[in-house]
């Protein structure tokens, strides 16, 4: 396993390196020492392990994620992005919506796509869009544009993706990824 996720932007790589560089200086322990401690954690689920780190060692979410990713690479969300993608997008109708969004952004210069546990993210320098499956073969597209940019846009509701994504567009089929959606994706990309 590599120490960092694949498909990171230059900004994300810099952030990741800063966490690694400051680990020992700010915590008094090296990454390897924290990995050894992580392997003693009685919890088995990633969220519970992060909570354990915070409660017992004062380690925040970002550092805990890095430590746990190294200690338990099989649970790191970047360890097997294809498997994560297949699990998240198992519904063929929702997957078809994802593929329509991917086709709409495919030619944007500097595009980075990364798979997260609950959504697929798109970035240039910053995340500009994300799409997650929803019930009934649909999906929700988050965009880094103002909700007033188009009548179909809505404000986000507990989406769990980047706070930069200020608008959400429900997509019920691949046909919904029309020229208007492509223009919104282009505008969001330009802002990132």
């Amino acid at each position: 396993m590599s120490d960092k996720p694949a498909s990171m932007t230059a900004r994300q790589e810099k952030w990741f390196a800063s966490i690694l560089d400051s680990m020992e200086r700010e915590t008094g322990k090296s990454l390897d020492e924290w990995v050894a401690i992580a392997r003693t954690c009685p919890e088995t689920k990633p969220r519970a392990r992060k909570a354990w780190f915070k409660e017992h060692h004062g380690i925040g979410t970002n550092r805990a994620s890095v430590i746990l990713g190294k200690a338990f690479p099989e649970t790191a969300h970047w360890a097997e992005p294809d498997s994560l993608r297949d699990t998240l997008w198992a519904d063929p109708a929702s997957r078809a919506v994802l593929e329509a969004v991917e086709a709409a952004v495919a030619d944007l210069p500097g595009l980075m796509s990364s798979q997260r546990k609950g959504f697929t993210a798109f970035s240039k320098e910053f995340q500009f869009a994300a799409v997650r499956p929803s019930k009934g073969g649909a999906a929700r597209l988050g965009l880094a544009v103002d909700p007033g940019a188009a009548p179909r846009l809505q404000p986000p509701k507990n989406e769990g993706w980047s706070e930069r994504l200020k608008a959400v567009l429900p997509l019920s089929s691949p046909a919904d990824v029309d020229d208007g959606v492509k223009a919104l994706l282009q505008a969001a990309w330009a802002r990132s």
Side-chain angles (χ1 to χ4, degrees), residues 8-102:
M8 289 197 301
T9 67
R11 183 179 175 93
Q12 290 165 331
E13 285 180 6
K14 185 176 177 181
W15 168 84
F16 193 83
S18 74
I19 287 188
L20 292 176
D21 291 345
S22 66
M23 182 82 65
E24 190 166 1
R25 181 180 71 248
E26 293 181 9
T27 68
K29 292 181 176 50
S30 69
L31 177 60
D32 290 337
E33 289 172 303
W34 282 117
V35 166
I37 290 168
R39 291 185 178 139
T40 69
C41 178
E43 303 295 341
T44 58
K45 299 195 181 216
R47 183 175 284 167
R49 285 177 175 158
K50 286 178 193 174
W52 178 84
F53 254 112
K54 185 168 187 153
E55 181 181 340
H56 295 280
H57 298 285
I59 298 295
T61 298
N62 290 337
R63 281 205 174 98
S65 293
V66 170
I67 294 163
L68 293 168
K70 180 89 170 176
F72 306 101
E74 68 282 0
T75 65
H77 71 270
W78 60 80
E80 295 185 34
D82 292 338
S83 175
L84 197 56
R85 176 187 167 97
D86 289 342
T87 300
L88 181 63
W89 297 98
D91 178 78
S94 290
R95 185 149 185 150
V97 175
L98 167 69
E99 290 168 352
V101 171
E102 289 176 326

Side-chain angles (χ1 to χ4, degrees), residues 53-182:
F53 254 112
K54 185 168 187 153
E55 181 181 340
H56 295 280
H57 298 285
I59 298 295
T61 298
N62 290 337
R63 281 205 174 98
S65 293
V66 170
I67 294 163
L68 293 168
K70 180 89 170 176
F72 306 101
E74 68 282 0
T75 65
H77 71 270
W78 60 80
E80 295 185 34
D82 292 338
S83 175
L84 197 56
R85 176 187 167 97
D86 289 342
T87 300
L88 181 63
W89 297 98
D91 178 78
S94 290
R95 185 149 185 150
V97 175
L98 167 69
E99 290 168 352
V101 171
E102 289 176 326
V105 298
D107 293 332
L108 295 175
L111 177 69
M112 301 293 290
S113 177
S114 58
Q115 187 60 55
R116 311 289 169 76
K117 186 176 180 180
F119 59 91
T120 302
F122 303 98
S123 305
K124 185 172 71 170
E125 289 296 319
F126 305 98
Q127 187 178 24
F128 68 87
V131 64
R132 78 168 70 251
S134 58
K135 293 179 182 175
R140 291 178 64 79
L141 175 63
L143 293 160
V145 297
D146 184 89
R152 297 174 8 188
L153 294 176
Q154 306 169 356
K157 295 179 183 172
N158 302 320
E159 301 296 343
W161 48 41
S162 171
E163 65 279 354
R164 291 182 42 79
L165 307 185
K166 303 290 186 193
V168 174
L169 178 60
L171 301 169
S172 58
S173 77
D176 287 349
V177 185
D178 57 17
D179 288 341
V181 172
K182 291 175 186 173

